[in-house]
Amino acid sequence: MTEQEARRMRRARFEELAYLVVEPLHRYLRRRTSADMVEDVLSETMLVLWRRLDDVPGLGAGTEPEPPPEPDDVLPWCYGVARGCLANARRADGRRLRLMERLIRSHEQSPEQAADHGELHAALDALGALDREVVRLWAWEGLAPRQIAEATGLTSNAVSIRLHRAKARLADRLGRKDAERAGHKTDEGRSSR
C-alpha cells in the first residue's frame, strides 16, 4: 500500500467516525457547557479523535474494507475524549478569568502605588525588534543567553553580544551610569556555551 493510499484510507475511516459521532458529541457538549464553548470543544475533540484514530475501539484497523463501525462501539470512547477536552477548556477558561481578575485588580491600584514605566517602554521601543525580544526574554522571563539563543535561533554568543549592547543603549536612554543594575546579576550577561 502506498503512502497516498494509506492517507486516503485513514481519511475515509475518520470521515466514517465523524459521520457517526459529530451530532451525538454536539448534543453531549450542549448539555454540559455554554453555547459559546460548544463549537470550540467539539473542534478540539475531533482533532484528538483524528490524532488517536487508531486507538478508537470498534473502528477497525482500516487495512482492508470493513463494515462501518457501530455507534455503540465507538461513542463511549469518544464521549470520554469530549469529556477530557471539555475539562481542559474549563481549566483554560478558569485561568483566563483569574488572569483578568488579577489584571483588573492591578489597574485599580491607587495612583501613588502604580508605577510609571512609560520611560522604560519608550526606551525598549527604541531598540530593534530582535534586541527588544532578547532583552525581554532576559529581563522578564529570566532566561540565560543560551536559553534565549534556543528561543530565538541565534547563537549564544550573538545573544550575549546583543544583550550587552541593548543593555548599554537602555542605560543611556534611561540615564543610568551602571547598565548592570538593570535587574540581573552581572555574571548573567555572558554564557560559557
Side-chain angles (χ1 to χ4, degrees), residues 95-112:
R95 285 190 299 269
R96 276 190 296 275
L97 289 174
R98 287 189 299 277
L99 175 62
M100 290 300 296
E101 289 170 359
R102 279 197 316 261
L103 289 172
I104 289 169
R105 279 194 307 270
S106 71
H107 285 291
E108 291 174 348
Q109 291 178 351
S110 64
E112 58 272 359

Side-chain angles (χ1 to χ4, degrees), residues 83-142:
R83 184 174 178 265
C85 290
L86 181 57
N88 288 341
R90 285 180 175 154
R91 280 191 297 274
D93 202 37
R95 285 190 299 269
R96 276 190 296 275
L97 289 174
R98 287 189 299 277
L99 175 62
M100 290 300 296
E101 289 170 359
R102 279 197 316 261
L103 289 172
I104 289 169
R105 279 194 307 270
S106 71
H107 285 291
E108 291 174 348
Q109 291 178 351
S110 64
E112 58 272 359
Q113 289 178 330
D116 178 25
H117 298 293
E119 188 179 344
L120 173 62
H121 289 289
L124 276 170
D125 289 341
L127 298 175
L130 187 55
D131 287 344
R132 190 170 43 247
E133 181 64 9
V134 166
V135 169
R136 286 176 176 164
L137 288 170
W138 173 76
W140 294 352
E141 308 307 328

Side-chain angles (χ1 to χ4, degrees), residues 7-17 50 53:
R7 273 188 266 142
R8 192 174 12 253
M9 288 183 74
R10 180 175 175 82
R11 181 178 177 155
R13 287 175 61 218
F14 179 74
E15 287 172 354
E16 278 183 353
L17 177 66
W50 168 257
L53 192 60

Side-chain angles (χ1 to χ4, degrees), residues 3 5 15-16 25 28 35-36 47 52 57 67 74 84 91 101 107 111 113 124 137 144 151 176-177 189:
E3 187 177 327
E5 290 171 335
E15 287 172 354
E16 278 183 353
L25 290 176
Y28 172 87
D36 58 332
L47 181 61
R52 298 195 55 200
V74 296
R91 280 191 297 274
E101 289 170 359
H107 285 291
Q113 289 178 330
L124 276 170
L137 288 170
R176 292 197 176 123
K177 302 267 189 250

Side-chain angles (χ1 to χ4, degrees), residues 2 22-23 38 46 53 160 191:
T2 68
V22 165
E23 285 305 314
V38 170
M46 296 310 292
L53 192 60
S160 293
S191 173

Side-chain angles (χ1 to χ4, degrees), residues 17 20-21 55-60 67-78:
L17 177 66
L20 286 176
V21 301
D55 298 336
V56 179
L59 190 57
E70 290 294 320
D72 290 341
D73 294 337
V74 296
L75 267 174
W77 194 83
C78 294

